[in-house]
Amino acid sequence: AQTVTQSQPEMSVQEAETVTLSCTYDTSESDYYLFWYKQPPSRQMILVIRQEAYKQQNATENRFSVNFQKAAKSFSLKISDSQLGDAAMYFCAYRSAGNYGGSQGNLIFGKGTKLSVKP
Amino acid sequence: DAGITQSPRHKVTETGTPVTLRCHQTENHRYMYWYRQDPGHGLRLIHYSYGVKDTDKGEVSDGYSVSRSKTEDFLLTLESATSSQTSVYFCAISGGQGRNSPLHFGNGTRLTVT
């Protein structure tokens, strides 16, 4: 079974600085997708960024980028120029590509990292 | 934002009572999921559906049942609520436009069982 590990329960960053959130995963599959979701205090789950395992290039979305190391099974999220609105819980998630929908269309989540942003 | 509505937004109930949470989507997506979120556990899958009347169990399905009689509605029922089912419940939907389609989540239901 696949597992996702976020080893940093809490992180803190100064406004305008850069922070990196760690995520590792365990799988025997070669084709899969990885996601980062943000959950602010409003409780809403917001997709931040996604990465296809077959792509070598790291995904980027504005101030958010990932460092995807397939061999190491690592998928870290870098937030540049941190803003107060980035304060939230961040979840890393894995999704198998082997059988779309059903239990393998399910997202497997890490336990989350709570990010605080200091003004 | 994906059209997903969860109801109710909050609910307090007593141990032993039945509870039904509703998830309604306007996206006509085939796949729907129910998760629960607890501190220190992230989100865990309870049940999922891959079509009308097609459902299956997830990781933490004990004590829960689901039904999907229409594409747009996915109901989660706690037959006899227990304090261990106090949690935040999320519904999610997934589109069929590609395997990398992300799950889109509703705003959650906070359930307290006293």
Side-chain angles (χ1 to χ4, degrees), chain A:
Chain A
Q2 297 84 13
T3 59
V4 176
T5 301
Q6 294 179 248
S7 59
Q8 307 151 318
E10 296 187 17
M11 292 280 287
S12 180
V13 63
Q14 203 71 33
E15 194 175 8
E17 297 294 308
T18 296
V19 64
T20 298
L21 308 184
S22 300
C23 174
T24 59
Y25 56 94
D26 187 26
T27 184
S28 59
E29 299 175 334
S30 60
D31 195 14
Y32 49 87
Y33 303 96
L34 297 165
F35 303 85
W36 279 97
Y37 280 86
K38 170 186 177 181
Q39 187 181 43
S42 67
R43 204 166 72 198
Q44 186 180 4
M45 292 289 288
I46 302 166
L47 177 67
V48 175
I49 200 166
R50 77 184 85 174
Q51 175 78 43
E52 293 88 346
Y54 62 85
K55 289 187 176 179
Q56 298 273 11
Q57 187 173 6
N58 289 325
T60 299
E61 289 286 345
N62 300 313
R63 298 183 294 108
F64 298 87
S65 62
V66 299
N67 183 5
F68 173 50
Q69 302 290 327
K70 190 172 184 178
K73 297 180 182 176
S74 172
F75 182 59
S76 60
L77 175 69
K78 186 172 80 172
I79 306 173
S80 303
D81 185 26
S82 296
Q83 300 175 0
L84 295 177
D86 294 334
M89 184 73 80
Y90 286 82
F91 291 98
C92 177
Y94 171 102
R95 188 183 203 187
S96 171
N99 180 18
Y100 182 70
S103 64
Q104 290 178 302
N106 169 41
L107 287 178
I108 299 169
F109 286 88
K111 295 181 178 181
T113 296
K114 184 177 181 180
L115 179 66
S116 302
V117 180
K118 298 179 181 178

Side-chain angles (χ1 to χ4, degrees), chain B residues 11-111:
Chain B
K11 186 171 182 65
V12 179
T13 191
E14 294 184 349
T15 299
T17 60
V19 177
T20 296
L21 308 183
R22 182 182 184 235
C23 178
H24 178 78
Q25 61 146 327
T26 59
E27 305 296 321
N28 200 35
H29 285 340
R30 178 181 176 188
Y31 303 99
M32 299 184 76
Y33 306 83
W34 275 108
Y35 290 84
R36 61 177 289 173
Q37 181 180 17
D38 304 290
H41 289 277
L43 280 77
R44 294 178 292 174
L45 182 68
I46 305 172
H47 281 280
Y48 64 94
S49 170
Y50 46 97
V52 174
K53 297 186 180 179
D54 291 324
T55 65
D56 207 344
K57 297 179 180 180
E59 177 188 358
V60 290
S61 60
D62 287 350
Y64 302 95
S65 63
V66 291
S67 66
R68 191 164 177 206
S69 58
K70 298 184 291 184
T71 298
E72 56 266 35
D73 290 326
F74 192 32
L75 304 180
L76 176 70
T77 297
L78 291 66
E79 300 292 346
S80 178
T82 68
S83 58
S84 64
Q85 293 175 312
T86 292
S87 187
V88 178
Y89 292 86
F90 285 96
C91 175
I93 64 175
S94 181
Q97 300 306 311
R99 292 181 172 181
N100 68 341
S101 297
L103 270 62
H104 296 284
F105 289 82
N107 288 330
T109 295
R110 180 175 295 279
L111 176 67

